[in-house]
Amino acid sequence: MFICPDCKGKVENLKCKSCGFYPQNINGILDFRTKDFRGMSIPSEIPDYVKMEDIGMDFRTKNFYIPLVKKLFGGGWNKRWNKNIKILDIGCGTGRVVKVLREAGYEAYGIDLGLDSSPLFWEGESRNYLFLANALSLPFEDDFFDFIISFGVMEHIGEGKNEQERLRERRLYLGEILRVLRVGGVASI
């Protein structure tokens, strides 16, 4: 399931066979962030704007993402993907969208740098499907996901950098999405 965020080598038993990288365990959450983001602080309380955002995420997930997934993978030409599709939320924040998708029966995962993460991100079962990671170097194997959500992320990629570097990072981001998306899969960016 996992690959190394640094060298893209295969991760077995939570250790990269190529370079020796192993994800740190932070409060039970595996940290796959790239070198430049490791060690960054993670908030201990939920900021008010995140609480309000979670309300909107519930609505968006139940009224947009779930109907979209059902339409794309639940019938017609694509009946074979009706069950067990894998969904990734890149920039999942508190993990709220992932939680609602899992409650609806989907195999959903989320990654975030952890900068706005809340205690919800760190609680209970979420440790099995939420990960600290960089969208420019996703820790998942090629062709792993059927559907990828990345809402409100693109505009932050390369923020504060010159135009050439910002475009380079955005190409990396889009390339990583295409790498982990299965042929015939869909990305909602």
Side-chain angles (χ1 to χ4, degrees):
M1 175 175 172
F2 298 116
I3 64 166
C4 177
D6 294 333
C7 78
K8 300 295 185 199
K10 187 152 182 76
V11 173
E12 290 183 6
N13 297 318
L14 295 180
K15 185 173 182 180
C16 177
K17 293 181 77 170
S18 298
C19 72
F21 165 83
Y22 61 94
Q24 297 294 311
N25 184 320
I26 301 175
N27 297 328
I29 300 287
L30 295 178
D31 185 356
F32 284 97
R33 292 179 290 184
T34 50
K35 293 175 188 173
D36 48 337
F37 288 99
R38 288 185 199 131
M40 292 180 81
S41 64
I42 297 165
S44 58
E45 294 182 22
I46 305 173
D48 287 338
Y49 75 91
V50 173
K51 291 176 190 174
M52 294 303 296
E53 197 172 86
D54 274 354
I55 294 167
M57 291 298 175
D58 278 0
F59 182 84
R60 181 182 305 127
T61 304
K62 291 175 183 172
N63 294 286
F64 178 69
Y65 291 133
I66 290 174
L68 179 61
V69 168
K70 285 180 180 177
K71 183 175 182 176
L72 291 169
F73 303 106
W77 61 273
N78 226 349
K79 286 184 182 175
R80 65 187 174 88
W81 279 357
N82 192 16
K83 295 182 180 173
N84 300 319
I85 66 163
K86 292 181 181 146
I87 301 172
L88 175 62
D89 183 2
I90 298 173
C92 69
T94 64
R96 189 66 176 201
V97 169
V98 174
K99 183 178 184 212
V100 173
L101 287 166
R102 291 184 80 84
E103 287 170 354
Y106 295 101
E107 185 178 345
Y109 301 88
I111 66 115
D112 201 276
L113 282 173
L115 307 179
D116 290 331
S117 297
S118 72
L120 174 66
F121 192 88
W122 307 101
E123 292 175 355
E125 187 185 322
S126 67
R127 294 178 176 152
N128 298 322
Y129 54 82
L130 296 176
F131 306 97
L132 292 168
N134 185 340
L136 305 183
S137 186
L138 297 172
F140 302 102
E141 295 174 346
D142 296 1
D143 307 310
F144 193 76
F145 294 100
D146 302 295
F147 187 63
I148 295 177
I149 300 164
S150 189
F151 185 79
V153 174
M154 175 72 105
E155 64 268 24
H156 298 292
I157 303 292
E159 227 175 15
K161 298 188 176 172
N162 67 48
E163 185 176 354
Q164 185 176 4
E165 184 62 16
R166 184 174 60 249
L167 290 174
R168 185 191 73 75
E169 287 191 3
R170 288 180 179 181
R171 284 186 195 103
L172 281 173
Y173 162 72
L174 294 171
E176 281 294 280
I177 288 172
L178 292 174
R179 182 184 65 76
V180 300
L181 190 64
R182 288 185 180 150
V183 173
V186 176
S188 177
I189 301 172

mmCIF file of all heavy atoms in Angstrom, residues 72-73 81 145-148 181-187:
data_model
loop_
_atom_site.group_PDB
_atom_site.id
_atom_site.type_symbol
_atom_site.label_atom_id
_atom_site.label_comp_id
_atom_site.label_asym_id
_atom_site.label_seq_id
_atom_site.Cartn_x
_atom_site.Cartn_y
_atom_site.Cartn_z
ATOM 1 N N LEU A 72 -20.716 7.808 -10.591
ATOM 2 C CA LEU A 72 -19.535 7.395 -11.349
ATOM 3 C C LEU A 72 -19.243 5.904 -11.237
ATOM 4 O O LEU A 72 -18.826 5.273 -12.205
ATOM 5 C CB LEU A 72 -18.305 8.173 -10.873
ATOM 6 C CG LEU A 72 -18.270 9.653 -11.205
ATOM 7 C CD1 LEU A 72 -17.135 10.326 -10.448
ATOM 8 C CD2 LEU A 72 -18.119 9.867 -12.706
ATOM 9 N N PHE A 73 -19.434 5.337 -10.045
ATOM 10 C CA PHE A 73 -18.979 3.971 -9.797
ATOM 11 C C PHE A 73 -20.087 2.997 -9.424
ATOM 12 O O PHE A 73 -19.818 1.834 -9.186
ATOM 13 C CB PHE A 73 -17.924 3.965 -8.692
ATOM 14 C CG PHE A 73 -16.750 4.843 -8.993
ATOM 15 C CD1 PHE A 73 -16.584 6.049 -8.334
ATOM 16 C CD2 PHE A 73 -15.819 4.480 -9.942
ATOM 17 C CE1 PHE A 73 -15.502 6.870 -8.615
ATOM 18 C CE2 PHE A 73 -14.735 5.289 -10.225
ATOM 19 C CZ PHE A 73 -14.581 6.487 -9.565
ATOM 20 N N TRP A 81 -17.228 -1.559 -10.208
ATOM 21 C CA TRP A 81 -16.672 -0.733 -9.148
ATOM 22 C C TRP A 81 -17.713 -0.321 -8.119
ATOM 23 O O TRP A 81 -17.506 0.599 -7.360
ATOM 24 C CB TRP A 81 -16.033 0.512 -9.740
ATOM 25 C CG TRP A 81 -14.678 0.281 -10.276
ATOM 26 C CD1 TRP A 81 -13.957 -0.867 -10.234
ATOM 27 C CD2 TRP A 81 -13.868 1.229 -10.938
ATOM 28 N NE1 TRP A 81 -12.756 -0.701 -10.839
ATOM 29 C CE2 TRP A 81 -12.672 0.594 -11.287
ATOM 30 C CE3 TRP A 81 -14.012 2.552 -11.281
ATOM 31 C CZ2 TRP A 81 -11.634 1.228 -11.949
ATOM 32 C CZ3 TRP A 81 -12.988 3.188 -11.939
ATOM 33 C CH2 TRP A 81 -11.816 2.534 -12.263
ATOM 34 N N PHE A 145 -5.946 4.251 -6.102
ATOM 35 C CA PHE A 145 -7.250 4.842 -5.815
ATOM 36 C C PHE A 145 -8.138 4.942 -7.052
ATOM 37 O O PHE A 145 -7.672 5.165 -8.159
ATOM 38 C CB PHE A 145 -7.084 6.234 -5.191
ATOM 39 C CG PHE A 145 -6.441 6.193 -3.837
ATOM 40 C CD1 PHE A 145 -5.097 6.470 -3.687
ATOM 41 C CD2 PHE A 145 -7.176 5.854 -2.710
ATOM 42 C CE1 PHE A 145 -4.503 6.413 -2.443
ATOM 43 C CE2 PHE A 145 -6.582 5.785 -1.467
ATOM 44 C CZ PHE A 145 -5.242 6.063 -1.328
ATOM 45 N N ASP A 146 -9.454 4.831 -6.801
ATOM 46 C CA ASP A 146 -10.452 4.966 -7.854
ATOM 47 C C ASP A 146 -10.965 6.402 -7.949
ATOM 48 O O ASP A 146 -11.355 6.853 -9.029
ATOM 49 C CB ASP A 146 -11.652 4.049 -7.564
ATOM 50 C CG ASP A 146 -11.229 2.597 -7.449
ATOM 51 O OD1 ASP A 146 -10.772 2.044 -8.456
ATOM 52 O OD2 ASP A 146 -11.333 2.038 -6.342
ATOM 53 N N PHE A 147 -11.007 7.097 -6.814
ATOM 54 C CA PHE A 147 -11.545 8.451 -6.764
ATOM 55 C C PHE A 147 -10.675 9.275 -5.830
ATOM 56 O O PHE A 147 -10.339 8.824 -4.727
ATOM 57 C CB PHE A 147 -12.998 8.418 -6.263
ATOM 58 C CG PHE A 147 -13.718 9.736 -6.317
ATOM 59 C CD1 PHE A 147 -13.958 10.376 -7.529
ATOM 60 C CD2 PHE A 147 -14.189 10.334 -5.154
ATOM 61 C CE1 PHE A 147 -14.652 11.586 -7.579
ATOM 62 C CE2 PHE A 147 -14.878 11.543 -5.196
ATOM 63 C CZ PHE A 147 -15.113 12.170 -6.415
ATOM 64 N N ILE A 148 -10.310 10.473 -6.269
ATOM 65 C CA ILE A 148 -9.485 11.362 -5.443
ATOM 66 C C ILE A 148 -10.184 12.702 -5.315
ATOM 67 O O ILE A 148 -10.624 13.287 -6.309
ATOM 68 C CB ILE A 148 -8.072 11.537 -6.035
ATOM 69 C CG1 ILE A 148 -7.332 10.198 -6.001
ATOM 70 C CG2 ILE A 148 -7.298 12.616 -5.273
ATOM 71 C CD1 ILE A 148 -5.952 10.231 -6.626
ATOM 72 N N LEU A 181 -3.834 7.379 -9.064
ATOM 73 C CA LEU A 181 -5.185 7.170 -9.581
ATOM 74 C C LEU A 181 -5.186 6.030 -10.593
ATOM 75 O O LEU A 181 -4.370 5.999 -11.508
ATOM 76 C CB LEU A 181 -5.681 8.456 -10.245
ATOM 77 C CG LEU A 181 -7.140 8.534 -10.650
ATOM 78 C CD1 LEU A 181 -8.061 8.461 -9.433
ATOM 79 C CD2 LEU A 181 -7.399 9.837 -11.412
ATOM 80 N N ARG A 182 -6.104 5.087 -10.415
ATOM 81 C CA ARG A 182 -6.217 3.969 -11.351
ATOM 82 C C ARG A 182 -6.697 4.452 -12.703
ATOM 83 O O ARG A 182 -7.396 5.450 -12.812
ATOM 84 C CB ARG A 182 -7.225 2.932 -10.818
ATOM 85 C CG ARG A 182 -6.700 2.168 -9.654
ATOM 86 C CD ARG A 182 -7.676 1.088 -9.246
ATOM 87 N NE ARG A 182 -7.117 0.363 -8.117
ATOM 88 C CZ ARG A 182 -7.838 -0.214 -7.185
ATOM 89 N NH1 ARG A 182 -9.140 -0.197 -7.245
ATOM 90 N NH2 ARG A 182 -7.253 -0.849 -6.197
ATOM 91 N N VAL A 183 -6.366 3.702 -13.735
ATOM 92 C CA VAL A 183 -6.884 3.979 -15.070
ATOM 93 C C VAL A 183 -8.406 3.908 -14.993
ATOM 94 O O VAL A 183 -8.963 2.962 -14.443
ATOM 95 C CB VAL A 183 -6.336 2.961 -16.096
ATOM 96 C CG1 VAL A 183 -7.009 3.141 -17.447
ATOM 97 C CG2 VAL A 183 -4.831 3.095 -16.234
ATOM 98 N N GLY A 184 -9.079 4.917 -15.504
ATOM 99 C CA GLY A 184 -10.532 4.991 -15.418
ATOM 100 C C GLY A 184 -11.035 5.647 -14.153
ATOM 101 O O GLY A 184 -12.234 5.846 -13.987
ATOM 102 N N GLY A 185 -10.122 6.014 -13.254
ATOM 103 C CA GLY A 185 -10.508 6.688 -12.025
ATOM 104 C C GLY A 185 -10.816 8.153 -12.276
ATOM 105 O O GLY A 185 -10.602 8.665 -13.375
ATOM 106 N N VAL A 186 -11.296 8.840 -11.238
ATOM 107 C CA VAL A 186 -11.705 10.230 -11.362
ATOM 108 C C VAL A 186 -11.093 11.036 -10.228
ATOM 109 O O VAL A 186 -11.070 10.586 -9.074
ATOM 110 C CB VAL A 186 -13.249 10.350 -11.314
ATOM 111 C CG1 VAL A 186 -13.700 11.798 -11.337
ATOM 112 C CG2 VAL A 186 -13.878 9.569 -12.458
ATOM 113 N N ALA A 187 -10.624 12.242 -10.560
ATOM 114 C CA ALA A 187 -10.123 13.177 -9.546
ATOM 115 C C ALA A 187 -11.008 14.408 -9.556
ATOM 116 O O ALA A 187 -11.329 14.943 -10.624
ATOM 117 C CB ALA A 187 -8.675 13.558 -9.823
#
